[in-house]
Amino acid sequence: QLTMSLNSSTLLNEENAQGAKKNTERLESLLQTPSSFQDNPLPQLQLASQEVLEKAKKSGRSKCPRCNSSRMFYCYTCFVPVETVPTKEIPTVKLPLKIDIIKHPNETDGKSTAVHAKLLAPDDVTIYKYPCIPEYQEKRHEIALIFPGPNSVSVKDIAFHLQKYTKKGACASDDDCSREPLLKQAKIEPEEEKNPSEGISSIRNEGTRLKKIIFIDSTWNQTNKIITDERLQGLLQIELKTRKTCFWRHQKGKPDTYLSTIEAIYYFFVDYHQEILKESYKGQYDNLLFFFSFMYTLIKDAKCCAGKE
């Protein structure tokens, strides 16, 4: 299990001076306003009220309205909130791209954060259990895969690489393949070289042709079976190189840039919004971390109270 790299000296001093009673009071305060946790490495998120989760925590486990299983907060097999968490009190996020999450069959349902995405962006997220995944080859010019590797590119370079990929002949249909290559058409107008801003704009437009992002949900040691599947070959791969995980189940021996599924989804869209859509980010996707941030603070602070740090 991951022990977060946090600056906890202030919190530890407080624990030594004031004892367990103060720890409990601080825990309750932090749970009510988790974004105020100064030691929290998560950004200052603009989240919907988490009071519904606080109430559910105090009530304990509840039934899934579909399968009647006993769960906390949500059912990770039915992708719905439990009875003590009314759906109307859960925020929804509208995403600019569709998401396919490919889940390894041996990934433990209760440990996965993929369900967070389905709960919070239900119209834009589909979860598949490997090997039952779609065929992507015909639309690979508008699909990218989030995965670190030797050929992965950063989010800001999506437009450039997607443009090259499209010109290499990834056709949306047979009609498209029968047309003259875009590269030859560009040479007809040499005047275009005099206006570099138009070329930049064109590349950005290529980036916005991206329609779907694929995420793999598994332990890092299990990813090889999925990433080598022939149905995923030839897809543009993207790596989130500058973000560090806060996941409490981070796997030993792996870099802290290897994110949990919901972290990867969140950080990708923040970067995509700024780098590709060229719009200022104002917290539009923060609620993707609605469950994650609450659970992070809950688990982190419980460890502090138990003296595990």
Side-chain angles (χ1 to χ4, degrees), residues 69-305:
S69 297
S70 177
R71 302 282 191 248
M72 192 71 178
F73 302 129
Y74 54 81
C75 180
Y76 44 76
T77 52
C78 299
F79 309 142
V80 294
V82 295
E83 292 177 346
T84 54
V85 182
T87 302
K88 64 181 181 180
E89 295 187 40
I90 300 300
T92 56
V93 182
K94 181 61 182 173
L95 302 176
L97 303 171
K98 297 297 183 181
I99 293 176
D100 280 359
I101 299 175
I102 301 175
K103 188 175 179 298
H104 193 283
N106 295 336
E107 176 70 0
T108 304
D109 291 339
K111 293 183 178 181
S112 171
T113 62
V115 63
H116 296 185
K118 183 62 179 176
L119 286 162
L120 298 164
D123 294 337
D124 298 318
V125 176
T126 304
I127 298 178
Y128 297 93
K129 182 169 286 190
Y130 187 84
C132 299
I133 66 174
E135 294 285 348
Y136 294 110
Q137 292 301 316
E138 291 185 3
K139 299 202 172 189
R140 54 184 177 171
H141 59 290
E142 57 188 33
I143 297 175
L145 172 66
I146 303 296
F147 192 81
N151 298 318
S152 298
V153 304
S154 63
V155 173
K156 68 178 181 178
D157 293 327
I158 288 176
F160 175 72
H161 287 277
L162 198 62
Q163 184 191 49
K164 291 195 303 180
Y165 185 88
T166 302
K167 289 178 180 179
K168 284 182 179 179
C171 306
S173 67
D174 291 338
D175 291 340
D176 292 335
C177 290
S178 65
R179 296 172 184 168
E180 279 290 297
L182 294 175
L183 206 56
K184 292 183 178 180
Q185 293 176 356
K187 294 180 179 178
I188 297 176
E189 301 290 342
E191 293 82 10
E192 288 181 0
E193 295 182 4
K194 298 178 182 179
N195 191 348
S197 63
E198 288 185 9
I200 294 173
S201 176
S202 175
I203 291 177
R204 288 175 182 168
N205 288 337
E206 292 288 346
T208 59
R209 291 182 187 176
L210 191 64
K211 293 183 178 179
K212 180 175 289 187
I213 296 293
I214 302 170
F215 294 83
I216 295 175
D217 185 55
S218 74
T219 63
W220 288 102
N221 292 331
Q222 295 172 336
T223 57
N224 187 63
K225 184 175 182 179
I226 297 178
I227 197 63
T228 56
D229 190 287
E230 62 180 8
R231 290 167 292 184
L232 299 180
Q233 303 312 301
L235 296 177
L236 178 65
Q237 292 188 11
I238 301 167
E239 182 173 1
L240 306 174
K241 302 178 182 180
T242 62
R243 308 293 191 175
K244 294 185 178 181
T245 186
C246 295
F247 193 33
W248 47 93
R249 293 193 180 98
H250 182 67
Q251 295 157 60
K252 292 181 180 180
K254 300 300 180 183
D256 57 5
T257 53
Y258 281 19
L259 307 171
S260 67
T261 301
I262 195 62
E263 288 177 298
I265 292 172
Y266 168 72
Y267 286 124
F268 168 79
F269 280 109
V270 172
D271 290 347
Y272 180 84
H273 194 85
Q274 296 172 314
E275 300 288 351
I276 302 301
L277 300 184
K278 300 297 180 182
E279 297 178 11
S280 60
Y281 184 69
K282 299 179 180 179
Q284 291 92 331
Y285 313 117
D286 282 8
N287 275 322
L288 286 172
L289 297 181
F290 180 77
F291 290 105
F292 184 90
S293 63
F294 185 87
M295 295 168 71
Y296 169 81
T297 303
L298 180 65
I299 293 170
K300 167 63 186 177
D301 219 48
K303 288 182 178 180
C304 289
C305 292

Side-chain angles (χ1 to χ4, degrees), residues 16-32:
N16 294 333
Q18 301 183 37
K21 183 177 179 180
K22 286 293 183 182
N23 290 338
T24 302
E25 292 175 355
R26 181 169 175 78
L27 173 60
E28 293 299 327
S29 174
L30 293 175
L31 288 174
Q32 291 173 11

